[in-house]
Amino acid sequence: MAPAIASAEQGQSIPERAAPAISSRLRIAENQPPADAVPASTTGPELHVRRPGSDLMVEIFKALGIEYVAVMPGSTFRGLHESIVNFGGNQAPEIIVCTHEEASTAIAHGYAKVAGKPMVSLVHSNVGLQHASMAIYNAWCDRVPLIIIAGNILDATQRRPGVEWYHTAQDLGSMVRDFVKWDDTPVSLQHYAESFVRAYSIAMTPPMEPVLIVADADLQEEPVVDRTKLKIPALARVSPPSGDSGSVAEAARLLAGAANPLIVADRAVRTAEGLPLMVQLAELLNAPVVDQLCRMNFPTTHYLNQTWLQRKLVAEADVILCLELSDVYGLTHSMADVIGRQTRSLLKPNAKVISISSGYGYLKSNQQDFERYFAADVTMAADAQATLPALIREIERLATPSMRSAIAARTERLQGQYRGMREAAVQEAALAWDASPVSTARLSQELWAQIKSEPWALVSNSVFVSRWPQRLWDFTEHYQYIGAEGGYGVGYGFPAAAGAALAHAKAGRLSVSIQTDGDFMVLPSVLWTLAHHSIPLLSVMHNNRAWHQETMHVQRMACRRDRNPERAPIGTVLSDPDIDYAAMARSMGVWAEGPILDPGRLGPAIARALKVVKSGKPALLDVVTQPR
Amino acid sequence: MRRISHFRCRSNADAWIASFWLLVLVAGALSGLFGAAQAAGKESPGYAVFVAKGCFECHGYLGQGSIYTGPAIAPNPISLDAMRAYVRAPSGQMPPYSSSILTDSELAQIHDYLSSVPAPRPPDKIRLLPQIPASARQTDGVRPAEPAASGNVSALYAANCASCHGAAGEGGVGPSLRAESSKRELAQTVELISAPRPPMPKLYPAVLSRTQVEDLAQYIRSLR
């Protein structure tokens, strides 16, 4: 096909008997994906588009400081893709190449939590958006700003027959509208500019959430007629809502007068400035803090961080301050996973609960991520971090000398409690210390020994390794932990770690991830992205060879039904054969060792892997571990 | 003189060589013992049942537990009777194992296996663990000294309470008991043991008699 068309271009005479064949080939060519050749009869200026609309789209990226665009290539955004590469020089933004849109969006999720600003995930119309939707939902639940741009071809007369119809939706936003904060399908370039800047502003206003902009292919590919008539508007930086003065005063009154105040924080600290505010508040009240760890909310080295005494503290508290909790009901009630699932309150009679969350002012109905209803005694639809300064001032104003004396008198008891809590963790960590498979405590401590003197950051969810890092390491900086999936959607971990590492690398920090195997197997292709972009990340596998949570669930069902719990591993384990993660990593260009079953081999292996990561490359260690 | 000095050198060399081989023999015996204990553990019938029935999923292969899935049940497991009572009718989130899916014999094998799990190294002997200054310690180590008490009651405590509340009531999976006498009256402590709140196992009357419950209550209230 191609040679015949080329011959026509070159002006070579074409035998009459070949002409019909060329015509039919041209018709075929029109229905095929674009190739290098153009119809022989087309000449002149319409061969080129000198100032495509997608160049303006890249100008907008640059105006807003978008550093990266994660992409699995797709034809509906070919125009924007080319503009990023050629017009934008592939710098700020730079394309991060992924092999799945769930990866590109989860990379953007992890990146945003470290960088404090959004990245773009560019997806291919409806099919790409469907792939991305799991990761968008996780970011929605996790309150993280992302900008998803989806290509589309709205004008039906401009869609080539076949694939372009399958890859178009009339209302692309409807696919994800339940879990994005805002979406728009601009119909002109000026509309696009205003919508994109608005989307950025909305994404970054607490509660921060993903947003979607549809970049129609015509807008991308048609020429800009008069660039001077197009304006990129200024960004409106919306200050986050702070609690109203009456509610803040009431909260301060309750807290200052409490005999056993408790502070519980989940997504309270949004920026580095939030951490010292939390410490100031806790010290002012001499109140223990439970960090629910969707962010890094309180230093683990501070005696008021009593996270592992949550049940006891909730039961003893007379006033509880909840800061950006996902689930106040879950904090104050227990529900055992037994037949009937009865709940019971954990609160002392007459205990007061204060809840501050931007989520009260914004939520949607369909996805049930808002958790069970609970009526706090003082409820503020406000951003917790933004409210802390006013709350601190009000407590300082209201606290009487006798209150201050009562507050100070708690110190010895609380310090003793903290020491007991840390000592209990040390005692428990010693159990199975030399076991094979490797204990999660051993894995965590072998890693800690070699990173603690570096500017380190843990970019994985620590719940699956029984929170050993938070129980034994010294977390002191806001950036050292970024929480978890948000929506508990498996597949977040590996790409989010990659995105977080991308942001940390710019700040010269060492990113480490304790990576579970079940999560890893959703998007192992992130290995290639790590290698291709030289993203320095140390992934230490927590390889328990199972979707362990699900094994326990099926086992529970079997025991409840009084039959064959030994069959619970059917359909829930990742063995037979055992997956060779190190070989997989090496196949995609990532340095790797393993599997490691002997805890004695772990330290030297970590040292070798760290050398690779410090040279600016990713590394992976496959460690076979205890279940939790 | 030369013969004496020669003899002395040879005698020293022999002494070193003998010491060396003695060390090798002792090390070999110790590693054999250690290896034998390990082999006995994982090669015991009880280990196979422990794994097959899924106990390790929540409690770990050595019964070390996890804060999210299940308490430590080794070393020093609770008595077989207490274990049976709880496993058949757990009061917490543990799924129930009736005798039709876990026989008494299998449970006894599991208990044997858990009883064979050796004590862990003291944390202060593990370089990679944070060292708690002795002045700040709430306990004296893994096995702190027990308060003075009658042998029977302390054994009763050790068999049924220590694995969750610590050998000296210092706490662990379960809360510390050291302030019990300042928190509750005797009758309330007795009531708490008799009708505990989940996840504490209910040992009365299946495992403990009324008298034993009252003795334990007195004992616990003496813990400091």
Side-chain angles (χ1 to χ4, degrees):
Chain A
M1 172 181 71
I5 295 170
S7 296
E9 264 193 305
Q10 289 157 12
Q12 296 174 14
S13 65
I14 301 162
E16 277 187 14
R17 65 180 171 84
I22 291 172
S23 297
S24 65
R25 284 185 189 133
L26 283 174
R27 278 198 294 281
I28 290 166
E30 283 173 5
N31 290 323
Q32 294 296 328
D36 291 333
V38 296
S41 60
T42 305
T43 56
E46 59 268 39
L47 282 175
H48 299 98
V49 175
R50 299 291 175 193
R51 292 301 308 274
S54 53
D55 282 2
L56 175 74
M57 295 176 186
V58 173
E59 286 185 59
I60 297 169
F61 285 159
K62 290 181 181 288
L64 291 172
I66 303 276
E67 291 190 88
Y68 299 104
V69 175
V71 159
M72 181 187 167
S75 57
T76 54
F77 56 81
R78 63 185 189 178
L80 181 49
H81 188 147
E82 189 276 342
S83 289
I84 294 171
V85 167
N86 280 327
F87 177 74
N90 199 33
Q91 293 214 357
E94 176 188 349
I95 282 179
I96 300 296
V97 191
C98 305
T99 62
H100 195 294
E101 289 87 346
E102 185 177 343
S104 41
T105 307
I107 282 175
H109 183 172
Y111 171 89
K113 287 200 275 190
V114 176
K117 62 179 183 177
M119 195 169 135
V120 166
S121 171
L122 186 48
V123 305
H124 176 44
S125 192
N126 51 0
V127 291
L129 194 55
Q130 285 178 82
H131 269 175
S133 59
M134 169 74 260
I136 300 172
Y137 181 70
N138 266 338
W140 162 265
C141 295
D142 201 18
R143 308 274 193 262
V144 174
L146 301 184
I147 301 177
I148 300 104
I149 299 177
N152 204 35
I153 308 175
L154 210 49
D155 185 347
T157 67
Q158 294 302 303
R159 293 176 210 149
R160 289 176 300 153
V163 65
E164 290 188 353
W165 283 77
Y166 287 109
H167 292 175
T168 292
Q170 180 190 13
D171 179 6
L172 210 46
S174 66
M175 296 174 70
V176 294
R177 196 160 285 139
D178 275 340
F179 42 94
V180 297
K181 196 172 174 188
W182 193 75
D183 72 276
D184 195 21
T185 302
V187 296
S188 71
L189 284 175
Q190 185 59 43
H191 180 176
Y192 183 93
E194 292 176 23
S195 282
F196 194 94
V197 176
R198 184 201 297 265
Y200 189 106
S201 175
I202 289 172
M204 287 296 291
T205 303
M208 297 187 188
E209 298 287 12
V211 292
L212 169 73
I213 292 288
V214 178
D216 193 79
D218 281 349
L219 286 188
Q220 293 175 53
E221 296 188 27
E222 282 179 3
V224 173
V225 174
D226 184 349
R227 175 65 184 90
T228 62
K229 290 208 159 88
L230 294 171
K231 306 278 181 242
I232 302 172
L235 174 66
R237 295 190 189 275
V238 179
S239 50
S242 177
D244 67 283
S245 55
S247 299
V248 168
E250 177 61 10
R253 186 188 67 75
L254 288 169
L255 288 164
N260 286 302
L262 171 65
I263 300 170
V264 185
D266 202 4
R267 294 188 177 85
V269 174
R270 276 186 292 104
T271 67
E273 290 73 31
L275 200 58
L277 284 173
M278 283 291 298
V279 173
Q280 187 182 358
L281 174 68
E283 288 181 348
L284 182 61
L285 293 169
N286 213 1
V289 177
V290 167
D291 188 345
Q292 295 200 318
L293 296 170
C294 277
R295 297 289 185 271
M296 161 64 184
N297 291 297
F298 207 79
T300 59
T301 49
H302 197 293
Y303 77 93
L304 288 173
N305 187 325
Q306 308 212 348
T307 297
W308 316 112
L309 302 177
Q310 174 176 317
R311 189 62 84 96
K312 166 184 144 68
L313 293 171
V314 168
E316 290 172 353
D318 54 350
V319 178
I320 302 177
L321 173 65
C322 304
L323 299 173
E324 296 291 350
L325 259 59
S326 318
D327 186 5
V328 181
Y329 183 93
L331 170 75
T332 56
H333 292 75
S334 77
M335 176 193 279
D337 189 5
V338 296
I339 296 171
R341 287 190 167 182
Q342 295 297 318
T343 60
R344 66 179 180 90
S345 173
L346 299 173
L347 292 172
K348 219 156 120 164
N350 302 319
K352 300 291 183 197
V353 178
I354 304 158
S355 182
I356 306 176
S357 173
S358 55
Y360 288 114
Y362 177 79
L363 70 167
K364 295 192 180 185
S365 341
N366 191 27
Q367 306 297 333
Q368 302 280 293
D369 59 292
F370 41 78
E371 303 287 346
R372 192 157 173 179
Y373 179 74
F374 178 86
D377 298 278
V378 181
T379 308
M380 293 181 238
D383 178 70
Q385 181 174 317
T387 306
L388 287 181
L391 184 59
I392 289 167
R393 278 194 304 271
E394 200 58 20
I395 293 169
E396 281 172 339
R397 189 180 71 80
L398 286 173
T400 62
S402 68
M403 284 176 183
R404 289 177 195 274
S405 176
I407 287 170
R410 298 198 266 265
T411 301
E412 191 181 339
R413 174 177 62 83
L414 290 170
Q415 287 177 339
Q417 224 163 250
Y418 172 79
R419 284 195 299 270
M421 182 189 79
R422 291 282 277 201
E423 190 183 340
V426 169
Q427 300 276 358
E428 287 163 34
L431 300 174
W433 183 259
D434 294 307
S436 172
V438 180
S439 80
T440 51
R442 181 71 181 261
L443 184 154
S444 301
Q445 290 313 98
E446 290 281 0
L447 185 54
W448 174 239
Q450 301 200 44
I451 65 168
K452 61 185 176 184
S453 306
E454 308 281 350
W456 61 273
L458 180 66
V459 295
S460 54
N461 182 0
S462 60
V463 72
F464 302 107
V465 288
S466 301
R467 299 289 192 196
W468 287 119
Q470 276 82 6
R471 295 164 74 190
L472 297 173
W473 299 8
D474 298 337
F475 284 78
T476 55
E477 304 296 334
H478 162 64
Y479 59 76
Q480 286 170 335
Y481 190 66
I482 56 168
E485 305 83 1
Y488 296 89
V490 73
Y492 152 94
F494 198 31
L502 186 64
H504 279 307
K506 262 201 132 166
R509 299 181 200 126
L510 176 67
S511 297
V512 298
S513 167
I514 302 175
Q515 175 62 52
T516 58
D517 55 336
D519 176 280
F520 180 90
M521 284 303 288
V522 175
L523 292 166
S525 61
V526 171
L527 285 165
W528 179 85
T529 297
L530 286 170
H532 182 70
H533 290 284
S534 289
I535 299 175
L537 169 66
L538 171 58
S539 301
V540 180
M541 298 284 299
H542 163 35
N543 180 10
N544 58 14
R545 291 179 169 157
W547 291 281
H548 178 250
Q549 193 71 27
E550 282 61 42
T551 316
M552 292 191 289
H553 273 303
V554 177
Q555 181 189 338
R556 180 180 297 282
M557 289 294 100
C559 290
R560 196 179 284 185
R561 296 162 182 189
D562 209 18
R563 57 192 189 193
N564 308 119
E566 57 275 354
R567 292 171 69 81
I570 297 174
T572 62
V573 296
L574 278 165
S575 60
D576 192 23
D578 294 330
I579 298 169
D580 187 341
Y581 295 104
M584 192 192 301
R586 285 191 295 267
S587 78
M588 293 196 231
V590 173
W591 182 98
E593 282 186 13
I596 297 169
L597 283 100
D598 174 1
R601 287 182 47 209
L602 199 41
I606 291 173
R608 289 188 292 274
L610 279 174
K611 205 169 161 195
V612 171
V613 176
K614 287 181 191 176
S615 76
K617 304 277 183 200
L620 180 138
L621 293 175
D622 180 9
V623 185
V624 182
T625 58
Q626 298 282 320
R628 279 285 182 269
Chain B
M1 293 293 279
R2 267 165 68 188
R3 277 184 70 184
I4 291 172
S5 65
H6 177 70
F7 172 78
R8 196 180 300 126
C9 287
R10 180 183 293 173
S11 162
N12 282 345
D14 284 348
W16 280 114
I17 292 168
S19 299
F20 171 75
W21 282 114
L22 182 64
L23 203 60
V24 168
L25 279 171
V26 168
L30 281 175
S31 71
L33 273 174
F34 181 74
Q38 286 286 292
K42 284 195 174 179
E43 288 173 7
S44 72
Y47 176 77
V49 180
F50 185 74
V51 171
K53 297 297 180 183
C55 312
F56 79 98
E57 304 277 5
C58 300
H59 297 289
Y61 286 101
L62 267 73
Q64 73 271 20
S66 159
I67 54 169
Y68 288 123
T69 55
I73 53 176
N76 300 327
I78 57 177
S79 68
L80 177 57
D81 285 342
M83 185 176 284
R84 184 186 307 112
Y86 193 75
V87 161
R88 299 287 184 236
S91 54
Q93 291 203 105
M94 177 171 166
Y97 280 80
S98 75
S99 56
S100 57
I101 58 175
L102 179 68
T103 64
D104 283 351
S105 162
E106 287 170 331
L107 194 51
Q109 287 178 322
I110 288 174
H111 191 268
D112 284 345
Y113 163 66
L114 293 173
S115 301
S116 76
V117 172
R121 279 197 268 160
D124 58 0
K125 299 285 187 274
I126 300 176
R127 183 179 51 84
L128 295 184
L129 285 177
Q131 299 301 308
I132 311 285
S135 60
R137 271 190 221 145
Q138 305 291 87
T139 70
D140 293 325
V142 175
R143 293 287 176 263
E146 296 180 16
S150 77
N152 284 342
V153 176
S154 69
L156 202 59
Y157 176 87
N160 294 289
C161 314
S163 60
C164 293
H165 291 285
E170 72 274 18
V173 171
S176 168
L177 301 174
R178 288 179 170 177
E180 184 63 19
S181 58
S182 63
K183 281 188 195 166
R184 275 174 273 270
E185 300 297 325
L186 175 61
Q188 290 171 312
T189 304
V190 169
E191 180 59 23
L192 192 58
I193 298 171
S194 308
R197 188 178 276 180
M200 180 168 159
K202 190 174 188 324
L203 302 178
Y204 170 80
V207 178
L208 301 171
S209 68
R210 189 71 188 172
T211 305
Q212 287 174 323
V213 167
E214 288 168 356
D215 284 347
L216 268 175
Q218 296 271 21
Y219 175 77
I220 284 163
R221 292 168 65 78
S222 73
L223 297 173
R224 294 289 180 266

